[in-house]
Amino acid sequence: MRSVERRTWYIITNSVLGLWMLAAIAAVTAHRFLPHSTWLMVHVTMLGAVSTAILIWSQHFADTLTRRQAPGGRVSLGIRLGLHTLGAALVIAGILSDVMSVILAGAVIVAAAALTHATTMILQLRGALASRFGPLVQFYAVSALWLVVGVGIGFWMSQLSADDPLRGRLFVAHVAVNLLGWVGTTVLGTVILFWPTVLHARMRPTDGSRSPLVLTVSMFGIVVVLAGAAADAPPLVAAGAVLWLAALGLVLVEGVRQITDAARLSYAGLSIGAALCWLAVSVGFLAVGVGTSDGWATAVDRLAWIVQPFIAGFAVQIVLGALSYLLPVIMGRPNARKKCEAELDRAAVFRAATINIGIVAYLLPVPSVVKVLLSIVVLCVFIAFLVLAVRGVVVGLRERKAEPAPAADAQGVQLGVGAPPQKAKPRRALSGQLVTAASVILLAVAGGIAIDPSAAGINTLGGTEVAETGHTTTIDVSVDGMRFVPDVLEVPAGDRLVVELSNTGTDVHDITFANGVSSERLAPGDSETVDVGVISEDMQGWCSVTGHRAMGMELSVVAVGAAAEGAHDHGDAQDSDAGGAAADLDFTLSTDAGFVPYDAALDPAPAADVHEITMPVTETEVEVAPGVTQTLWMFDGTAPGPVLRGSVGDVFDVTLVNNGTMGHSIDFHAGTLAPDDPMRTIMPGESLEYTFTATRAGIWMYHCSTMPMSSHIANGMFGAVIIDPPDLAPVDHEFVMVQSEFYLGEEGGPVDPDAVATQLPDIVAFNGYANQYRDVPLEVKAGDTVRFWVLDAGPNVSTSFHVVGGQFHTVWKEGDYSLKDGGSTGVGGSQALALAPAQGGFVELTFPEAGNYSFVSHIMSDAEKGATGIVHVTE
């Protein structure tokens, strides 16, 4: 590796950091669909990106401060970096797959890399010449040892159940050791010299003289935190955090003075300065939050507050700020450095202000939608750094090639030595960037409030007057999955409604009413009394946590005895603006609706080898979701049409009778024949004979092929033909699931063809009705083997059929087995059956124990539009 040029080495090693950053962005973007989402976002960022940056740059700073290369040189660093990357990846993979051996292997490898790093720092420091700032390398050695301790505590914690009383104490210790010990100690040692370097501030003889005291106090503070956790004493944890905060204060005192001597304003300086402020805020909240808690469970809940400010405010900003200074420096030559620096300093004030104002706004008690929009804004600004970094390196390298080599090319970062300061930007430009940043954040806040005004405390009702009765109606409301129970609250008009909300679910929830009254966000097991106010008219209530309402967390407040006029006009003013027709749908069945779902149970194939079927076409207004009706065009009065079943070699003689008001036709994929005559369109009152022989096995689609075909399929004209493969084994239960899409037109009217063309359905359903098997589950017994036949009727959207809590031991798709009885190993399994429109297959699984097993399209936004159900398994 010695032959690799220094700047090339930096670019290669920092590409690993870039990959971790991309992984963190992906985790944040897709967190709603990922297991252990909060843990994943934290650890991809901290254990992945931030720790990688520490390994790379602490070694470089150690080389610079000791004026000698570390034992093993780049080879040693490459091995440590590779080990840490592998170990971190294994820890993450082990947690996601819940495989303890993988978690243990990853933890051991990460600890080994950290221990090697600490040893390297110690050896390098012992052989170094005396220098003023050389002892700062001690911070890096100590911080790596803290990582070994933090990893050990983390693995210990992973062995405990969620309700183990020791888990809370270990969690606090794990957070403190990793954040204050590994990351915080590294930062303390670095900023003592790096901060004035970034600012191009003059170094004074006393600068850095307190570093031994800083290291001692910070170490003692973490030891006290650990002692507090071990002794079951939260106030002692708080005392340790205060000690650590005092060590940070010693560094910040000098840092504030150095700001006054700063020669230029750069993104690096702004970002690092803001990061140090967030670090102080986070440690302060750690001290107050844990010290005043009435138990470890409360302390853990309070520590959740510091996740965003510590990671986004401190950790990410400290890394981006450091890289904004370091990447230009490694260009070496002056012009190349300036070009790279100019790229990374683009809109510096705007970027820094947007990030930090956005984080402050996020931490305020704003609605969930506002938090989502603020997160998107801040994330986009973070992503902009990656774009600018790539541009800066490319521009710098290009300029370097064109720039004559000086007598002595720069060999790296010279701490304490700044480049000649650039001319400061005019104050008008800087204030303009500040105003723009504030405007962007205000726009995000205003947009979120406009989307969900009730969650912001704004009354969206019409203000109907009613005489107050002086009575109070109290109703207990609990949570079942993604539903409120009950979901209809009947209250005499004029009564005051009080809701006793208990979060009996497994996620954080709240309840928001259209009159602007909201509860706090409740963790699982928490409860709150919500005074909704005097009920004068019907209104809606919902969970305002982003995405939960779309998944069915709504309820209705019915004002019994209120005037009928306009009673349903004011439910939720946001619906018409918040996502089209789908936002208006209530996908929850009323308990007294008497609803009968489409019969998903399959009978065996008839013994006869000739099947005579008459299929009348009808056009009827039917319900496709609770309270949502459409005029569907159907085969034999159902959508999907009747399921036909037979064996290879069977003959199907179908008579199509058009009892509709327009031309229709039928196309059976299960047969092979020239389509000219049997698939022709027939007019109202006409009929045709369609005969085909089933020569191949499969679950085949049939549908109307009259143009526009997409609209005819989307309006209900589809069904399934099942031709059994010859070796089909018997099972205890067979069900059929035909997924289709609805593109809603006017209430009670037919499909909206313009909406079909967008390929963005309002409803995605199994067997023609949104969520019907969630509200009326399928019934089987534990130990039963169940076969699901699945067909994607489209017309536009694919499916990925998945059973939550289940694993498929047999998968048969489009005419062949991809897995049978566990495959060649006997223990193989499958988690999803992916199908494009007009494809089909079946999966088999056995439910091991009683419970409720959801089945969904794992294209999760479609599951949230109605493609979900439940298998209720009894003993």
Side-chain angles (χ1 to χ4, degrees):
M1 293 186 182
R2 290 184 178 179
S3 61
V4 177
E5 189 180 25
R6 181 184 293 265
R7 62 197 46 79
T8 304
W9 167 252
Y10 286 136
I11 292 171
I12 292 172
T13 54
N14 279 282
S15 65
V16 179
L17 172 58
L19 291 174
W20 277 114
M21 287 181 174
L22 291 175
I25 291 169
V28 171
T29 304
H31 73 278
R32 279 187 58 197
F33 312 111
L34 297 173
H36 307 289
S37 56
T38 300
W39 184 96
L40 186 64
M41 289 187 289
V42 170
H43 285 76
V44 169
T45 302
M46 300 302 298
L47 184 60
V50 174
S51 296
T52 298
I54 290 175
L55 287 173
I56 295 170
W57 290 104
S58 64
Q59 183 60 74
H60 176 82
F61 294 149
D63 292 347
T64 303
L65 292 169
T66 60
R67 301 176 185 175
R68 69 189 296 264
Q69 193 175 59
R74 294 179 183 173
V75 174
S76 173
L77 177 57
I79 292 173
R80 278 174 275 154
L81 186 58
L83 284 175
H84 178 83
T85 302
L86 174 62
L90 286 175
V91 169
I92 292 169
I95 291 292
L96 294 182
S97 61
D98 196 24
V99 179
M100 197 55 61
S101 59
V102 177
I103 300 173
L104 176 59
V108 169
I109 294 172
V110 169
L115 191 59
T116 304
H117 192 68
T119 303
T120 302
M121 296 289 109
I122 294 171
L123 293 175
Q124 188 173 12
L125 187 59
R126 283 185 177 179
L129 297 173
S131 65
R132 177 182 172 187
F133 294 104
L136 294 179
V137 178
Q138 295 173 355
F139 284 80
Y140 303 145
V142 170
S143 68
L145 293 175
W146 281 129
L147 178 58
V148 176
V149 176
V151 168
I153 296 174
F155 180 76
W156 184 6
M157 187 170 59
S158 71
Q159 308 301 299
L160 303 178
S161 61
D163 56 354
D164 193 309
L166 181 59
R167 187 178 177 89
R169 294 155 65 183
L170 290 178
F171 178 84
V172 172
H174 177 69
V175 169
V177 169
N178 284 334
L179 301 190
L180 305 184
W182 167 232
V183 180
T185 303
T186 301
V187 169
L188 287 179
T190 301
V191 298
I192 288 173
L193 185 56
F194 188 61
W195 175 241
T197 302
V198 170
L199 296 177
H200 303 283
R202 180 173 59 86
M203 294 291 294
R204 297 183 181 181
T206 57
D207 286 349
S209 60
R210 296 175 177 174
S211 59
L213 178 60
V214 171
L215 180 58
T216 302
V217 174
S218 66
M219 291 173 60
F220 187 61
I222 298 173
V223 169
V224 172
V225 169
L226 292 175
D232 194 13
L236 196 57
V237 172
V242 170
L243 281 172
W244 201 95
L245 189 60
L248 175 61
L250 293 173
V251 176
L252 294 180
V253 167
E254 288 185 355
V256 170
R257 192 270 304 163
Q258 289 159 350
I259 291 175
T260 62
D261 294 340
R264 63 180 295 264
L265 183 67
S266 66
Y267 180 75
L270 292 170
S271 187
I272 294 172
L276 294 175
C277 293
W278 282 116
L279 176 59
V281 170
S282 300
V283 179
F285 191 86
L286 169 65
V288 174
V290 176
T292 60
S293 63
D294 55 5
W296 294 103
T298 303
V300 170
D301 289 340
R302 290 180 175 178
L303 283 184
W305 185 89
I306 73 170
V307 171
Q308 288 87 3
F310 191 92
I311 294 180
F314 165 62
V316 176
Q317 287 203 102
I318 201 78
V319 171
L320 300 191
L323 290 176
S324 295
Y325 178 83
L326 296 167
L327 288 178
V329 170
I330 65 175
M331 294 296 106
R333 298 174 186 171
N335 290 343
R337 172 175 176 167
K338 290 178 182 178
K339 290 285 187 180
C340 182
E341 201 170 60
E343 290 294 330
L344 285 162
D345 274 348
R346 285 182 181 270
V349 174
F350 167 77
R351 289 158 55 205
T354 301
I355 290 169
N356 291 284
I357 298 174
I359 295 172
V360 170
Y362 183 96
L363 296 174
L364 297 175
V366 295
S368 177
V369 177
V370 174
K371 290 181 180 290
V372 170
L373 292 179
L374 290 171
S375 299
I376 292 172
V377 170
V378 173
L379 181 62
C380 287
V381 179
F382 282 146
I383 293 173
F385 169 82
L386 295 178
V387 176
L388 293 174
V390 172
R391 284 174 54 92
V393 169
V394 171
V395 170
L397 291 177
R398 185 184 301 133
E399 183 65 25
R400 178 180 171 79
K401 290 180 180 179
E403 185 177 355
D409 199 3
Q411 292 300 306
V413 183
Q414 298 299 310
L415 292 175
V417 179
Q422 297 180 357
K423 184 177 179 180
K425 292 184 178 180
R427 289 187 177 181
R428 182 179 300 175
L430 299 181
S431 61
Q433 291 187 44
L434 277 172
V435 171
T436 304
S439 300
V440 169
I441 298 302
L442 286 174
L443 187 61
V445 172
I449 293 174
I451 291 172
D452 196 354
S454 298
I458 299 174
N459 189 342
T460 61
L461 296 177
T464 302
E465 296 293 334
V466 66
E468 296 187 25
T469 63
H471 298 151
T472 297
T473 297
T474 302
I475 301 177
D476 293 331
V477 176
S478 60
V479 174
D480 181 10
M482 282 291 173
R483 299 179 61 185
F484 289 116
V485 180
D487 55 13
V488 177
L489 311 183
E490 294 188 347
V491 183
D495 273 18
R496 177 174 296 276
L497 172 61
V498 173
V499 170
E500 298 287 351
L501 178 63
S502 300
N503 185 358
T504 50
T506 58
D507 200 353
V508 173
H509 297 294
D510 65 11
I511 192 167
T512 296
F513 293 91
N515 65 352
V517 174
S518 294
S519 72
E520 299 292 330
R521 288 196 176 184
L522 304 179
D526 289 351
S527 60
E528 182 180 342
T529 299
V530 183
D531 186 345
V532 184
V534 175
I535 303 304
S536 59
E537 57 186 301
D538 294 357
M539 66 175 172
Q540 293 292 108
W542 59 91
C543 178
S544 71
V545 176
T546 303
H548 288 194
R549 186 178 188 182
M551 296 176 71
M553 292 204 71
E554 291 185 307
L555 56 75
S556 299
V557 178
V558 179
V560 179
E565 180 180 358
H568 299 281
D569 292 344
H570 308 295
D572 179 12
Q574 65 142 341
D575 284 354
S576 61
D577 302 320
D584 295 323
L585 301 182
D586 178 1
F587 288 169
T588 303
L589 291 173
S590 173
T591 55
D592 59 354
F595 175 77
V596 178
Y598 185 101
D599 189 1
L602 277 177
D603 293 326
D609 54 9
V610 176
H611 309 267
E612 295 184 353
I613 304 107
T614 298
M615 276 199 185
V617 174
T618 58
E619 300 172 7
T620 309
E621 182 177 344
V622 298
E623 196 174 55
V624 296
V628 180
T629 62
Q630 290 281 278
T631 295
L632 299 186
W633 312 325
M634 299 179 288
F635 294 116
D636 202 15
T638 63
V643 178
L644 310 183
R645 190 170 191 180
S647 303
V648 174
D650 286 4
V651 176
F652 290 80
D653 188 358
V654 181
T655 300
L656 181 70
V657 180
N658 189 352
N659 293 331
T661 61
M662 67 186 75
H664 294 294
S665 60
I666 196 165
D667 170 5
F668 285 96
H669 292 190
T672 56
L673 71 173
D676 306 63
D677 184 64
M679 299 182 194
R680 72 182 186 275
T681 297
I682 60 174
M683 293 297 106
E686 295 182 349
S687 63
L688 66 77
E689 298 291 328
Y690 190 131
T691 301
F692 66 89
T693 300
T695 58
R696 297 188 183 275
I699 175 169
W700 304 92
M701 182 178 176
Y702 68 84
H703 61 90
C704 179
S705 57
T706 299
M707 301 301 281
M709 197 181 306
S710 59
S711 292
H712 281 253
I713 295 173
N715 210 50
M717 302 196 77
F718 57 87
V721 178
I722 296 176
I723 307 300
D724 292 346
D727 61 347
L728 190 63
V731 293
D732 297 302
H733 300 276
E734 287 188 279
F735 299 108
V736 63
M737 293 293 152
V738 181
Q739 179 176 303
S740 64
E741 306 139 32
F742 291 98
Y743 300 83
L744 302 179
E746 295 181 2
E747 178 68 20
V751 64
D752 182 349
D754 293 331
V756 176
T758 69
Q759 303 185 17
L760 298 172
D762 298 304
I763 296 174
V764 181
F766 291 130
N767 295 344
Y769 195 101
N771 293 333
Q772 59 181 318
Y773 304 114
R774 184 195 68 185
D775 299 300
V776 185
L778 306 176
E779 300 278 348
V780 303
K781 292 183 178 180
D784 286 353
T785 299
V786 179
R787 177 182 295 132
F788 281 97
W789 290 88
V790 185
L791 173 69
D792 185 355
N796 297 319
V797 176
S798 298
T799 188
S800 180
F801 185 78
H802 170 71
V803 177
V804 178
Q807 295 177 336
F808 307 140
H809 59 72
T810 297
V811 178
W812 191 84
K813 175 181 176 181
E814 287 291 284
D816 202 0
Y817 290 94
S818 59
L819 179 69
K820 187 173 184 181
D821 295 328
S824 60
T825 64
V827 292
S830 175
Q831 56 197 311
L833 174 62
L835 301 170
Q839 287 189 324
F842 68 75
V843 292
E844 296 176 5
L845 75 164
T846 300
F847 294 98
E849 58 184 352
N852 292 312
Y853 296 77
S854 299
F855 58 88
V856 298
S857 169
H858 217 289
I859 301 173
M860 295 309 298
S861 59
D862 290 340
E864 293 162 7
K865 292 179 180 179
T868 185
I870 291 174
V871 181
H872 178 60
V873 181
T874 58
E875 293 290 353

